[in-house]
Amino acid sequence: MQTHLSTTPFGRRPISLGQISSQMAAKAIKPEAAANKWHVFQNVREARELLGATDRSLAILNALLTFHPQTTFTGDAELVVWPSNEQLAARANGMPATTLRRHIAVLVDCGLVIRRDSPNGKRFARKGRGGEIEQAYGFDLSPIVARADEFKDMAEVIQAEKKAFRVAKERLTLLRRDIVKMIDAGIEERVPGNWGRVQQAYQAIISRLPRSAPRQLVDDICADLRALYTEIRDVLESFTKTQLSVANESHSGRHIQNSKPDSNYESEYGAGNKEEAGGTVEETDNVRSLPKRELPLGIVLDACPGVRELAQGGEIRHWRDFLAAADLARPMLGISPSAWREACAVLGEQHAAITLAAIYQRADQIGSAGGYLRSLTDRARDGKFSTWPMVMALLRTKLHAQKERERDDDRPSTTDSAAGSGLRASDALLRSLSKPRAR
């Protein structure tokens, strides 16, 4: 008796060219072909994104594989299984019937199984007198054998992509660490260079990195970071070679005297210009009598408006924005990480940032910002420095300059008058806050 092999689904379900392609691959399978069903399933699970399969559909495929008794599938074996929906749902961890049907369709569309529907859509097997199966209606698992090599190649591609992505992220992490530490070393060792520009270039590259980035974007950012790394490394190595040659000449008996005592790279450990300290921390003899309350952020920004230029979008709304802007100002002023850590430890992070903003505001009048910061830190350690008089001095300087401009102009502009009023209001507020409270 000759039976017809069903190639179309039952009912209203249509057939697609993709399903016909899967049937052609199953028909072309060689009898000697063999594959371990669980090894192939592992490859399918790795390549599920390329196949378009879902986690639910793979749970159903895993259940279907358990209905076939053999572990190794061969090309000449009968690979049709005919479980009912109840049996299949039970082995798929109790999946609802509607979800089950939807994800069975996904398996068919992906070409992982082939429908062999009976005339009435039921799944069953017709056996002969000897007990052998003559005709089975259900799900044909022959694509597991026919496409085993294809699934293996897909899995290898996915694994290679995952490995490449992991290596790219490792390279990105190493480059970020190396660049940040080399910038800090250049500032710490007082290597000549525009380290503020270098840090801004680094921040511009890193700002392109989203929270979840594809591998191609990570590779592009790594290429830009690599170029910046090479530039920084060349500067540091060139400076190191120069220092070694000078040391060797000194060791061989030569004594080189500095013909330019007024060097542009003043040591930050020096005391700095005394006029700078006196002009900025005037009226600090009675520091302990100043109010213990915190400085308002608005007053600090009135005294140090230059720090707004470093904020993202030019706006500083919270103290965290102010601290972020101060963190960018530190390398631009040539202040080493050790000097900054010491200032934060003595003054506190917020007051250290206020001090840094004041130094940035008067950067054109300060020869060594690092040495000046260390000097103020030492004074604060002895209880002789506070940010209150520093901010007050800056406000009074701006108010005095405003008054001079108004005196020179017969009719001051509305903008200048408003700015002067804001400065006078800040100065008056500071004076009122600085007065000791009556007991």
Side-chain angles (χ1 to χ4, degrees), residues 244 332 405 421:
L244 289 176
M332 297 177 66
R405 286 196 299 269
S421 299

Side-chain angles (χ1 to χ4, degrees), residues 38-55:
W38 299 122
H39 293 171
V40 178
F41 178 75
Q42 178 64 29
N43 293 333
V44 170
R45 187 164 57 185
E46 288 285 340
R48 66 181 181 275
E49 294 181 0
L50 291 179
L51 291 169
T54 62
D55 53 348

Side-chain angles (χ1 to χ4, degrees), residues 20-158:
I20 294 177
S21 176
S22 299
Q23 294 173 7
M24 292 173 58
K27 186 184 297 186
I29 187 173
K30 297 179 180 180
E32 65 273 12
N36 185 299
K37 64 180 181 181
W38 299 122
H39 293 171
V40 178
F41 178 75
Q42 178 64 29
N43 293 333
V44 170
R45 187 164 57 185
E46 288 285 340
R48 66 181 181 275
E49 294 181 0
L50 291 179
L51 291 169
T54 62
D55 53 348
R56 293 290 188 90
S57 63
L58 292 185
I60 296 172
L61 178 60
N62 180 77
L64 287 173
L65 293 176
T66 62
F67 284 103
H68 198 285
Q70 300 297 325
T71 301
T72 301
F73 288 176
T74 57
D76 56 353
E78 180 63 44
L79 299 178
V80 177
V81 293
W82 53 93
S84 65
N85 282 351
E86 291 77 8
Q87 293 173 324
L88 190 55
R91 294 198 187 184
N93 304 319
M95 188 178 296
T98 54
T99 306
L100 184 72
R101 288 192 293 270
R102 185 168 65 253
H103 289 284
I104 287 176
V106 172
L107 288 178
V108 175
D109 292 339
C110 293
L112 294 172
V113 298
I114 299 174
R115 286 185 180 273
R116 301 296 185 189
D117 288 347
S118 65
N120 61 1
K122 301 295 184 180
R123 302 181 199 127
F124 63 90
R126 182 181 296 110
K127 298 183 180 180
R129 292 184 178 181
E132 72 278 2
I133 296 175
E134 292 182 350
Q135 181 68 39
Y137 296 102
F139 299 106
D140 190 352
L141 302 177
S142 56
I144 297 297
V145 184
R147 302 178 63 188
D149 293 337
E150 179 186 352
F151 295 149
K152 184 178 179 181
D153 293 340
M154 287 183 177
E156 290 177 352
V157 169
I158 293 295

